[in-house]
Coordinates of all heavy atoms in Angstrom, one line a residue:
M1 N 0.8 -1.2 0.0 CA 0.0 0.0 0.0 C 0.9 1.2 0.0 O 1.9 1.3 0.7 CB -0.9 0.0 1.2 CG -2.0 1.0 1.2 SD -3.3 0.7 2.4 CE -2.7 1.7 3.8
A2 N 0.5 2.2 -0.8 CA 1.3 3.5 -0.9 C 1.3 4.2 0.5 O 0.3 4.2 1.2 CB 0.7 4.4 -2.0
K3 N 2.4 4.9 0.7 CA 2.5 5.7 1.9 C 1.7 6.9 1.8 O 1.6 7.5 0.7 CB 3.9 6.1 2.2 CG 4.8 5.0 2.8 CD 6.1 5.5 3.2 CE 6.9 4.5 4.0 NZ 8.3 5.1 4.3
N4 N 1.1 7.4 2.9 CA 0.5 8.7 2.9 C 1.5 9.8 3.0 O 2.2 9.9 4.0 CB -0.5 8.8 4.1 CG -1.3 10.1 4.1 OD1 -0.7 11.2 4.1 ND2 -2.6 10.0 4.1
I5 N 1.6 10.6 2.0 CA 2.7 11.6 1.9 C 2.6 12.6 3.1 O 3.6 13.1 3.6 CB 2.7 12.3 0.5 CG1 4.0 13.2 0.4 CG2 1.4 13.1 0.3 CD1 4.2 13.8 -1.0
F6 N 1.4 12.9 3.5 CA 1.3 13.9 4.6 C 1.6 13.4 6.0 O 2.4 13.9 6.7 CB -0.1 14.5 4.7 CG -0.8 14.6 3.4 CD1 -1.9 13.9 3.0 CD2 -0.3 15.5 2.4 CE1 -2.5 14.1 1.8 CE2 -0.9 15.7 1.2 CZ -2.0 15.0 0.9
I7 N 1.1 12.2 6.3 CA 1.1 11.6 7.6 C 2.4 10.8 7.8 O 3.1 11.0 8.8 CB -0.1 10.8 7.9 CG1 -1.4 11.7 7.9 CG2 0.0 10.1 9.3 CD1 -2.7 10.9 7.8
E8 N 2.7 10.0 6.9 CA 3.8 9.0 7.1 C 5.2 9.6 6.7 O 6.2 9.1 7.1 CB 3.5 7.7 6.3 CG 2.3 7.0 6.9 CD 2.1 5.7 6.1 OE1 3.0 4.9 6.1 OE2 1.0 5.6 5.5
I9 N 5.2 10.5 5.7 CA 6.5 11.0 5.2 C 6.8 12.4 5.8 O 7.7 12.6 6.5 CB 6.5 11.0 3.7 CG1 6.3 9.6 3.2 CG2 7.8 11.5 3.2 CD1 6.2 9.4 1.7
A10 N 6.0 13.4 5.4 CA 6.3 14.8 5.9 C 6.0 15.0 7.3 O 6.7 15.8 8.0 CB 5.5 15.8 5.0
K11 N 5.0 14.3 7.8 CA 4.6 14.5 9.2 C 4.1 15.9 9.6 O 4.2 16.4 10.7 CB 5.6 14.0 10.2 CG 5.9 12.5 10.0 CD 6.9 12.0 11.0 CE 7.0 10.5 11.1 NZ 7.3 9.8 9.8
V12 N 3.7 16.6 8.5 CA 3.1 18.0 8.7 C 1.9 18.0 7.8 O 1.8 17.3 6.8 CB 4.0 19.1 8.4 CG1 5.2 19.2 9.3 CG2 4.5 19.0 6.9
P13 N 0.8 18.8 8.2 CA -0.3 18.9 7.3 C 0.0 19.6 6.0 O 0.9 20.5 6.0 CB -1.3 19.7 8.2 CG -0.7 20.1 9.4 CD 0.7 19.6 9.4
F14 N -0.6 19.2 5.0 CA -0.5 19.9 3.7 C -1.7 20.8 3.5 O -2.8 20.2 3.2 CB -0.4 18.9 2.5 CG 1.0 18.3 2.3 CD1 1.9 18.2 3.4 CD2 1.4 17.8 1.1 CE1 3.1 17.6 3.2 CE2 2.6 17.3 0.9 CZ 3.5 17.2 1.9
K15 N -1.6 22.1 3.6 CA -2.7 23.0 3.4 C -2.6 23.4 1.9 O -1.6 24.1 1.5 CB -2.6 24.2 4.3 CG -3.7 25.2 4.1 CD -3.7 26.3 5.0 CE -4.7 27.3 4.7 NZ -4.2 28.7 4.4
I16 N -3.5 23.1 1.1 CA -3.5 23.4 -0.3 C -4.0 24.8 -0.6 O -5.2 25.0 -0.3 CB -4.3 22.4 -1.2 CG1 -3.8 20.9 -0.9 CG2 -4.1 22.7 -2.7 CD1 -2.4 20.7 -1.1
N17 N -3.2 25.7 -1.0 CA -3.6 27.1 -1.3 C -4.3 27.2 -2.6 O -5.1 28.0 -2.9 CB -2.4 28.0 -1.3 CG -1.9 28.3 0.1 OD1 -2.6 28.0 1.1 ND2 -0.7 29.0 0.2
S18 N -3.8 26.3 -3.6 CA -4.3 26.4 -4.9 C -4.2 25.1 -5.6 O -3.2 24.4 -5.5 CB -3.5 27.5 -5.7 OG -4.0 27.7 -7.0
G19 N -5.3 24.6 -6.2 CA -5.3 23.4 -7.0 C -5.7 23.8 -8.4 O -5.0 24.5 -9.1
Y20 N -6.8 23.3 -8.9 CA -7.3 23.6 -10.2 C -7.7 25.1 -10.3 O -8.3 25.6 -9.4 CB -8.5 22.8 -10.7 CG -9.0 23.2 -12.0 CD1 -8.3 23.0 -13.2 CD2 -10.2 24.0 -12.1 CE1 -8.8 23.4 -14.4 CE2 -10.7 24.4 -13.3 CZ -10.0 24.2 -14.5 OH -10.4 24.6 -15.7
R21 N -7.3 25.7 -11.4 CA -7.7 27.1 -11.7 C -8.3 27.2 -13.1 O -7.7 26.7 -14.0 CB -6.5 28.1 -11.7 CG -5.8 28.2 -10.4 CD -4.6 29.1 -10.6 NE -3.7 29.0 -9.5 CZ -2.4 29.3 -9.6 NH1 -1.8 29.6 -10.8 NH2 -1.6 29.2 -8.5
C22 N -9.5 27.8 -13.2 CA -10.0 28.0 -14.6 C -9.1 29.1 -15.1 O -8.5 29.9 -14.4 CB -11.5 28.4 -14.5 SG -11.8 30.1 -13.8
P23 N -9.2 29.3 -16.5 CA -8.3 30.3 -17.1 C -8.5 31.7 -16.5 O -7.5 32.4 -16.3 CB -8.7 30.2 -18.6 CG -9.1 28.8 -18.7 CD -9.8 28.4 -17.5
L24 N -9.7 32.1 -16.3 CA -9.9 33.4 -15.7 C -9.3 33.6 -14.3 O -8.6 34.6 -14.1 CB -11.4 33.8 -15.7 CG -11.8 35.1 -15.1 CD1 -11.2 36.3 -16.0 CD2 -13.3 35.3 -15.1
H25 N -9.6 32.6 -13.5 CA -9.0 32.7 -12.1 C -7.5 32.7 -12.2 O -6.8 33.4 -11.5 CB -9.5 31.5 -11.3 CG -8.9 31.5 -9.9 ND1 -9.1 32.5 -9.0 CD2 -8.0 30.7 -9.3 CE1 -8.5 32.3 -7.9 NE2 -7.8 31.2 -8.0
N26 N -6.9 31.9 -13.1 CA -5.5 31.8 -13.2 C -4.9 33.2 -13.6 O -3.9 33.6 -13.1 CB -5.1 30.7 -14.3 CG -3.6 30.6 -14.4 OD1 -2.9 30.2 -13.4 ND2 -3.0 30.9 -15.5
K27 N -5.6 33.8 -14.6 CA -5.2 35.1 -15.0 C -5.3 36.1 -13.8 O -4.3 36.9 -13.6 CB -6.1 35.6 -16.2 CG -5.6 36.9 -16.8 CD -6.4 37.2 -18.1 CE -5.9 38.5 -18.7 NZ -6.7 38.9 -19.9
N28 N -6.4 36.1 -13.1 CA -6.6 37.0 -12.0 C -5.5 36.9 -10.9 O -5.2 37.9 -10.2 CB -8.0 36.8 -11.4 CG -9.1 37.3 -12.3 OD1 -8.8 38.1 -13.2 ND2 -10.3 36.9 -12.1
V29 N -5.0 35.7 -10.7 CA -4.0 35.5 -9.6 C -2.6 35.6 -10.1 O -1.6 35.3 -9.4 CB -4.2 34.1 -8.8 CG1 -5.5 34.1 -8.2 CG2 -4.0 32.9 -9.8
G30 N -2.5 36.0 -11.4 CA -1.1 36.2 -12.0 C -0.4 34.9 -12.4 O 0.8 34.9 -12.5
G31 N -1.2 33.8 -12.6 CA -0.6 32.6 -13.1 C 0.0 32.7 -14.5 O -0.6 33.5 -15.3
V32 N 1.0 32.0 -14.8 CA 1.5 32.0 -16.2 C 0.5 31.4 -17.1 O -0.4 30.6 -16.7 CB 2.9 31.2 -16.3 CG1 4.0 31.9 -15.5 CG2 2.7 29.8 -15.8
S33 N 0.6 31.9 -18.4 CA -0.5 31.5 -19.3 C -0.6 30.0 -19.6 O -1.7 29.6 -20.0 CB -0.3 32.3 -20.6 OG 1.0 31.9 -21.2
N34 N 0.5 29.3 -19.4 CA 0.4 27.8 -19.6 C 0.5 27.1 -18.3 O 1.0 26.0 -18.2 CB 1.6 27.4 -20.5 CG 2.9 27.6 -19.9 OD1 3.1 28.3 -18.9 ND2 3.9 26.9 -20.4
S35 N 0.0 27.7 -17.3 CA 0.0 27.1 -15.9 C -0.5 25.7 -15.8 O -1.6 25.4 -16.4 CB -0.8 28.0 -14.9 OG -0.9 27.3 -13.7
S36 N 0.2 24.8 -15.2 CA -0.3 23.4 -14.9 C -1.5 23.4 -14.1 O -2.2 22.4 -14.0 CB 0.9 22.6 -14.3 OG 2.0 22.6 -15.2
H37 N -1.8 24.5 -13.4 CA -3.0 24.5 -12.5 C -4.3 24.5 -13.4 O -5.3 24.3 -12.9 CB -3.0 25.8 -11.7 CG -2.1 25.8 -10.5 ND1 -2.4 25.1 -9.3 CD2 -0.8 26.3 -10.4 CE1 -1.3 25.3 -8.5 NE2 -0.4 25.9 -9.1
M38 N -4.2 24.7 -14.7 CA -5.3 24.7 -15.6 C -5.5 23.4 -16.3 O -6.5 23.2 -17.0 CB -5.2 25.8 -16.6 CG -5.2 27.2 -16.0 SD -5.2 28.5 -17.3 CE -3.7 28.2 -18.2
N39 N -4.6 22.4 -16.0 CA -4.7 21.1 -16.7 C -6.0 20.4 -16.2 O -6.3 20.5 -15.0 CB -3.5 20.3 -16.4 CG -2.3 20.8 -17.1 OD1 -2.4 21.6 -18.0 ND2 -1.1 20.3 -16.7
I40 N -6.6 19.7 -17.0 CA -7.8 18.8 -16.7 C -7.4 17.4 -17.0 O -7.2 17.1 -18.2 CB -9.0 19.3 -17.4 CG1 -9.4 20.7 -17.0 CG2 -10.2 18.3 -17.0 CD1 -10.6 21.3 -17.7
P41 N -7.3 16.4 -16.1 CA -7.4 16.7 -14.7 C -6.3 17.5 -14.1 O -5.2 17.4 -14.7 CB -7.5 15.2 -14.1 CG -6.7 14.4 -15.1 CD -7.0 15.0 -16.4
C42 N -6.5 18.2 -13.1 CA -5.5 19.1 -12.5 C -4.4 18.2 -11.9 O -4.6 17.2 -11.3 CB -6.1 19.9 -11.4 SG -4.9 21.1 -10.7
N43 N -3.1 18.6 -12.2 CA -2.0 17.8 -11.7 C -1.0 18.8 -11.0 O 0.2 18.6 -11.1 CB -1.3 17.0 -12.8 CG -0.9 17.8 -14.0 OD1 -1.0 19.0 -14.0 ND2 -0.4 17.1 -15.0
A44 N -1.5 19.9 -10.5 CA -0.7 20.9 -9.8 C -1.3 21.3 -8.5 O -2.5 21.3 -8.4 CB -0.5 22.1 -10.7
A45 N -0.4 21.6 -7.5 CA -0.9 22.1 -6.2 C 0.1 23.1 -5.6 O 1.3 22.9 -5.8 CB -1.2 21.0 -5.3
D46 N -0.4 24.1 -4.9 CA 0.4 25.0 -4.1 C 0.2 24.6 -2.7 O -1.0 24.7 -2.2 CB 0.1 26.4 -4.4 CG 0.5 26.9 -5.8 OD1 1.2 26.1 -6.5 OD2 0.1 28.0 -6.2
I47 N 1.2 24.3 -1.9 CA 1.1 23.8 -0.6 C 1.6 24.9 0.3 O 2.8 25.4 0.1 CB 1.9 22.5 -0.3 CG1 1.4 21.5 -1.3 CG2 1.7 22.1 1.1 CD1 2.4 20.3 -1.5
A48 N 0.9 25.4 1.3 CA 1.3 26.5 2.2 C 2.5 26.0 3.0 O 2.6 24.9 3.5 CB 0.1 26.9 3.1
T49 N 3.4 26.9 3.2 CA 4.6 26.7 4.0 C 4.8 27.8 5.0 O 5.1 28.9 4.6 CB 5.9 26.5 3.2 OG1 6.1 27.7 2.4 CG2 5.9 25.3 2.3
K50 N 4.5 27.5 6.3 CA 4.5 28.6 7.3 C 5.9 29.0 7.8 O 6.1 30.1 8.3 CB 3.6 28.3 8.5 CG 4.1 27.0 9.2 CD 3.2 26.7 10.4 CE 3.7 25.5 11.1 NZ 3.0 25.1 12.3
D51 N 6.8 28.1 7.6 CA 8.2 28.4 8.0 C 9.2 27.5 7.3 O 8.8 26.6 6.6 CB 8.3 28.3 9.6 CG 7.9 26.9 10.0 OD1 8.2 25.9 9.4 OD2 7.2 26.8 11.1
S52 N 10.5 27.7 7.6 CA 11.5 27.0 6.8 C 11.5 25.5 7.1 O 11.8 24.7 6.3 CB 12.9 27.6 7.1 OG 13.2 27.5 8.4
S53 N 11.2 25.2 8.4 CA 11.1 23.8 8.8 C 10.0 23.0 8.0 O 10.2 21.9 7.5 CB 10.9 23.7 10.3 OG 10.8 22.3 10.7
T54 N 8.9 23.6 8.0 CA 7.7 23.0 7.2 C 8.1 22.9 5.7 O 7.8 21.9 5.1 CB 6.5 23.9 7.4 OG1 6.2 24.0 8.8 CG2 5.3 23.3 6.7
R55 N 8.7 23.9 5.2 CA 9.1 23.9 3.8 C 10.0 22.8 3.5 O 9.9 22.0 2.6 CB 9.7 25.2 3.4 CG 10.1 25.3 1.9 CD 10.8 26.6 1.6 NE 10.0 27.8 1.9 CZ 10.4 28.7 2.9 NH1 11.5 28.6 3.5 NH2 9.6 29.7 3.1
Y56 N 11.0 22.6 4.4 CA 12.0 21.5 4.2 C 11.3 20.1 4.2 O 11.5 19.3 3.4 CB 13.0 21.5 5.3 CG 14.1 20.5 5.1 CD1 15.2 20.7 4.4 CD2 13.9 19.2 5.7 CE1 16.2 19.7 4.2 CE2 14.9 18.2 5.5 CZ 16.0 18.5 4.8 OH 16.9 17.5 4.6
K57 N 10.4 19.9 5.2 CA 9.7 18.6 5.3 C 8.8 18.3 4.1 O 8.7 17.2 3.6 CB 8.8 18.6 6.6 CG 9.6 18.5 7.9 CD 8.8 18.7 9.1 CE 9.6 18.8 10.3 NZ 8.8 19.2 11.5
I58 N 8.1 19.4 3.6 CA 7.3 19.2 2.4 C 8.1 18.9 1.2 O 7.8 17.9 0.4 CB 6.4 20.4 2.2 CG1 5.3 20.5 3.3 CG2 5.7 20.4 0.8 CD1 4.5 21.8 3.4
L59 N 9.2 19.6 1.0 CA 10.1 19.3 -0.1 C 10.7 17.9 -0.1 O 10.7 17.2 -1.1 CB 11.2 20.4 -0.2 CG 10.8 21.8 -0.7 CD1 11.9 22.8 -0.4 CD2 10.4 21.8 -2.1
E60 N 11.1 17.5 1.1 CA 11.7 16.2 1.3 C 10.7 15.1 0.9 O 11.0 14.2 0.2 CB 12.1 16.1 2.7 CG 12.9 14.8 3.1 CD 13.3 14.8 4.5 OE1 12.5 15.2 5.4 OE2 14.5 14.5 4.8
A61 N 9.4 15.3 1.4 CA 8.4 14.3 1.1 C 8.0 14.3 -0.4 O 7.8 13.3 -1.0 CB 7.1 14.7 1.9
L62 N 8.0 15.5 -1.1 CA 7.7 15.5 -2.5 C 8.7 14.8 -3.3 O 8.4 14.0 -4.2 CB 7.6 17.0 -3.0 CG 6.4 17.8 -2.5 CD1 6.5 19.3 -2.8 CD2 5.1 17.2 -3.0
Y63 N 10.0 15.0 -3.0 CA 11.1 14.4 -3.7 C 11.0 12.8 -3.4 O 11.2 12.0 -4.3 CB 12.5 14.9 -3.2 CG 12.7 16.3 -3.8 CD1 13.3 17.3 -2.9 CD2 12.4 16.7 -5.0 CE1 13.6 18.5 -3.4 CE2 12.7 18.0 -5.5 CZ 13.3 18.9 -4.7 OH 13.5 20.1 -5.2
E64 N 10.7 12.5 -2.2 CA 10.7 11.0 -1.8 C 9.7 10.3 -2.6 O 9.9 9.2 -3.1 CB 10.5 10.8 -0.3 CG 10.5 9.4 0.1 CD 10.5 9.1 1.5 OE1 10.9 10.0 2.3 OE2 10.0 8.0 1.9
V65 N 8.5 10.9 -2.9 CA 7.5 10.2 -3.6 C 7.6 10.4 -5.1 O 6.8 9.8 -5.9 CB 6.0 10.6 -3.2 CG1 5.8 10.2 -1.7 CG2 5.7 12.0 -3.5
G66 N 8.6 11.2 -5.6 CA 8.9 11.2 -7.0 C 8.6 12.5 -7.8 O 8.7 12.5 -9.0
F67 N 8.2 13.5 -7.1 CA 7.9 14.8 -7.8 C 9.2 15.3 -8.4 O 10.3 15.3 -7.8 CB 7.3 15.8 -6.9 CG 5.8 15.7 -6.7 CD1 5.3 14.9 -5.7 CD2 5.0 16.4 -7.5 CE1 4.0 14.8 -5.5 CE2 3.6 16.2 -7.4 CZ 3.1 15.4 -6.4
T68 N 9.1 15.7 -9.7 CA 10.3 16.2 -10.4 C 10.2 17.6 -10.8 O 11.0 18.2 -11.6 CB 10.7 15.3 -11.6 OG1 9.6 15.3 -12.5 CG2 11.0 13.9 -11.2
R69 N 9.0 18.3 -10.4 CA 8.8 19.7 -10.8 C 8.3 20.4 -9.5 O 7.2 20.1 -9.1 CB 7.8 19.8 -11.9 CG 8.2 19.2 -13.2 CD 7.2 19.3 -14.3 NE 6.5 20.6 -14.3 CZ 7.0 21.8 -14.8 NH1 8.2 21.8 -15.4 NH2 6.3 22.9 -14.7
V70 N 9.1 21.3 -9.0 CA 8.8 22.0 -7.8 C 9.1 23.5 -7.9 O 10.2 23.8 -8.6 CB 9.6 21.4 -6.6 CG1 9.5 22.2 -5.4 CG2 9.2 19.9 -6.4
G71 N 8.3 24.3 -7.4 CA 8.6 25.8 -7.4 C 8.5 26.3 -6.0 O 7.6 25.8 -5.2
I72 N 9.3 27.2 -5.6 CA 9.3 27.7 -4.2 C 9.0 29.2 -4.2 O 9.6 30.0 -4.8 CB 10.7 27.5 -3.6 CG1 11.0 26.0 -3.6 CG2 10.8 28.0 -2.2 CD1 12.4 25.6 -3.0
G73 N 7.9 29.4 -3.5 CA 7.5 30.8 -3.2 C 7.8 31.2 -1.8 O 8.2 30.3 -1.0
E74 N 7.5 32.4 -1.4 CA 7.9 32.8 0.0 C 7.0 32.1 1.0 O 7.4 31.9 2.1 CB 7.7 34.3 0.1 CG 8.8 35.1 -0.7 CD 8.8 36.6 -0.4 OE1 8.4 37.0 0.7 OE2 9.1 37.3 -1.4
T75 N 5.7 31.8 0.6 CA 4.8 31.2 1.6 C 4.2 29.9 1.1 O 3.2 29.4 1.7 CB 3.7 32.2 1.9 OG1 3.0 32.5 0.7 CG2 4.2 33.5 2.5
F76 N 4.7 29.3 0.0 CA 4.1 28.1 -0.5 C 5.2 27.3 -1.3 O 6.2 27.9 -1.7 CB 2.9 28.4 -1.4 CG 3.3 29.1 -2.7 CD1 3.5 28.4 -3.8 CD2 3.4 30.5 -2.7 CE1 3.8 29.0 -5.0 CE2 3.7 31.1 -3.9 CZ 3.9 30.4 -5.0
V77 N 4.9 26.1 -1.6 CA 5.6 25.2 -2.5 C 4.7 24.8 -3.6 O 3.6 24.2 -3.3 CB 6.3 24.0 -1.8 CG1 6.8 23.0 -2.8 CG2 7.3 24.5 -0.8
H78 N 5.0 25.0 -4.8 CA 4.3 24.5 -5.9 C 4.8 23.1 -6.3 O 6.0 22.9 -6.3 CB 4.4 25.4 -7.1 CG 3.9 24.8 -8.4 ND1 2.7 25.1 -9.0 CD2 4.5 23.9 -9.3 CE1 2.5 24.4 -10.1 NE2 3.6 23.7 -10.3
C79 N 3.9 22.2 -6.7 CA 4.4 20.9 -7.3 C 3.4 20.5 -8.3 O 2.2 20.9 -8.3 CB 4.5 19.8 -6.2 SG 2.9 19.4 -5.4
D80 N 3.9 19.8 -9.4 CA 3.0 19.3 -10.4 C 3.6 18.1 -11.0 O 4.8 17.8 -10.8 CB 2.6 20.4 -11.4 CG 3.8 20.8 -12.3 OD1 4.3 19.9 -13.1 OD2 4.2 22.0 -12.3
T81 N 2.8 17.4 -11.8 CA 3.3 16.2 -12.5 C 3.1 16.3 -14.0 O 2.7 15.4 -14.7 CB 2.6 14.9 -12.0 OG1 1.2 15.1 -12.2 CG2 2.9 14.6 -10.5
D82 N 3.3 17.6 -14.5 CA 3.1 17.9 -15.9 C 4.2 17.3 -16.7 O 5.3 17.9 -16.8 CB 3.0 19.4 -16.0 CG 2.4 19.8 -17.4 OD1 2.5 19.0 -18.4 OD2 1.7 20.8 -17.4
K83 N 4.0 16.2 -17.4 CA 5.0 15.5 -18.2 C 5.3 16.2 -19.5 O 6.3 15.8 -20.2 CB 4.6 14.0 -18.4 CG 4.4 13.2 -17.2 CD 5.7 13.1 -16.4 CE 5.5 12.3 -15.1 NZ 6.6 12.5 -14.1
L84 N 4.5 17.2 -19.8 CA 4.8 18.0 -21.1 C 5.8 19.1 -20.9 O 6.2 19.8 -21.8 CB 3.5 18.5 -21.6 CG 2.4 17.5 -22.0 CD1 1.2 18.2 -22.5 CD2 2.9 16.5 -23.0
K85 N 6.2 19.3 -19.6 CA 7.2 20.4 -19.3 C 8.5 19.7 -18.8 O 8.6 18.5 -18.5 CB 6.6 21.3 -18.2 CG 5.3 22.0 -18.7 CD 4.7 22.9 -17.7 CE 3.5 23.7 -18.3 NZ 2.8 24.4 -17.2
S86 N 9.5 20.6 -18.6 CA 10.8 20.2 -18.1 C 10.7 19.4 -16.8 O 9.9 19.8 -16.0 CB 11.7 21.4 -17.9 OG 11.9 22.1 -19.1
Q87 N 11.5 18.3 -16.7 CA 11.5 17.5 -15.5 C 12.8 17.8 -14.7 O 13.8 18.4 -15.2 CB 11.5 16.0 -15.9 CG 10.3 15.7 -16.7 CD 9.0 15.9 -16.0 OE1 8.7 15.4 -14.9 NE2 8.1 16.7 -16.6
R88 N 12.8 17.4 -13.4 CA 14.0 17.6 -12.6 C 14.4 19.1 -12.5 O 15.5 19.5 -12.7 CB 15.2 16.8 -13.0 CG 14.8 15.3 -13.0 CD 15.9 14.4 -13.4 NE 17.1 14.5 -12.5 CZ 17.2 13.8 -11.3 NH1 16.2 12.9 -11.0 NH2 18.2 13.9 -10.6
V89 N 13.3 20.0 -12.2 CA 13.5 21.4 -12.1 C 12.9 21.9 -10.8 O 11.9 21.4 -10.3 CB 12.9 22.2 -13.3 CG1 13.7 21.9 -14.5 CG2 11.4 21.8 -13.5
C90 N 13.5 22.9 -10.2 CA 13.1 23.6 -9.0 C 13.3 25.1 -9.2 O 14.4 25.5 -9.3 CB 13.8 23.1 -7.8 SG 13.3 23.9 -6.3
W91 N 12.2 25.9 -9.3 CA 12.3 27.3 -9.6 C 11.8 28.1 -8.4 O 11.3 27.5 -7.4 CB 11.5 27.6 -10.9 CG 10.1 27.3 -10.8 CD1 9.1 28.2 -10.3 CD2 9.4 26.1 -11.1 NE1 7.9 27.5 -10.4 CE2 8.0 26.3 -10.9 CE3 9.9 24.9 -11.6 CZ2 7.1 25.3 -11.1 CZ3 8.9 23.9 -11.8 CH2 7.6 24.1 -11.6
T92 N 12.0 29.4 -8.5 CA 11.5 30.3 -7.4 C 10.5 31.3 -8.0 O 10.4 31.5 -9.2 CB 12.6 31.1 -6.7 OG1 13.2 31.9 -7.7 CG2 13.6 30.1 -6.1
Y93 N 9.7 31.9 -7.1 CA 8.7 32.9 -7.5 C 9.1 34.3 -7.0 O 8.2 35.1 -6.9 CB 7.3 32.5 -7.0 CG 6.8 31.2 -7.6 CD1 6.9 30.0 -7.0 CD2 6.1 31.3 -8.8 CE1 6.4 28.8 -7.6 CE2 5.6 30.2 -9.4 CZ 5.7 28.9 -8.8 OH 5.2 27.8 -9.4
Y94 N 10.3 34.5 -6.6 CA 10.7 35.8 -6.1 C 12.0 36.2 -6.5 O 12.7 35.4 -7.2 CB 10.6 35.8 -4.5 CG 11.3 34.6 -3.9 CD1 12.6 34.7 -3.5 CD2 10.6 33.4 -3.6 CE1 13.2 33.7 -2.9 CE2 11.3 32.4 -3.1 CZ 12.6 32.5 -2.7 OH 13.2 31.4 -2.1
Ligands
LIG101 ZN1 1.4 26.4 -8.4

């Protein structure tokens, strides 16, 4: 059985700030025009990170389960499984 990424690996709650966005909402929040948040089915999420320790645990868990696309904002971590985009990348939003 697959491990629960929140409970068994990161051991911190994952508060999702953003999942699927319709094109208008994506535009309103300043998302890039080809944002993975607009994919159907959605394969992107922004996870709130309240401090550096939480950010580390979330990143560690994402890498452990195989995420290869991660973005780091000041208060969140983006992750997606968009196979049409570059893999093994970690970008910033600031
Ligand atoms: Zn995102």
Side-chain angles (χ1 to χ4, degrees):
M1 191 166 90
K3 280 188 173 181
N4 182 304
I5 188 171
F6 322 117
I7 298 167
E8 295 179 58
I9 300 175
K11 296 183 171 54
V12 294
F14 279 25
K15 179 179 176 238
I16 307 301
N17 285 349
S18 185
Y20 174 74
R21 299 176 192 152
C22 70
L24 178 60
H25 178 65
N26 186 63
K27 188 175 181 182
N28 288 343
V29 298
V32 293
S33 61
N34 67 339
S35 172
S36 299
H37 286 278
M38 297 187 297
N39 291 345
I40 300 175
C42 182
N43 56 4
D46 292 348
I47 306 161
T49 54
K50 62 180 181 176
D51 54 41
S52 61
S53 174
T54 304
R55 183 182 303 113
Y56 183 90
K57 290 171 185 170
I58 290 171
L59 286 169
E60 187 175 46
L62 291 172
Y63 289 138
E64 182 171 335
V65 300
F67 277 88
T68 59
R69 293 180 43 78
V70 173
I72 300 177
E74 290 185 33
T75 59
F76 69 94
V77 170
H78 165 101
C79 61
D80 69 63
T81 59
D82 196 329
K83 297 301 181 195
L84 300 178
K85 295 179 180 173
S86 299
Q87 304 298 304
R88 301 178 64 83
V89 289
C90 179
W91 61 90
T92 61
Y93 292 96
Y94 50 89

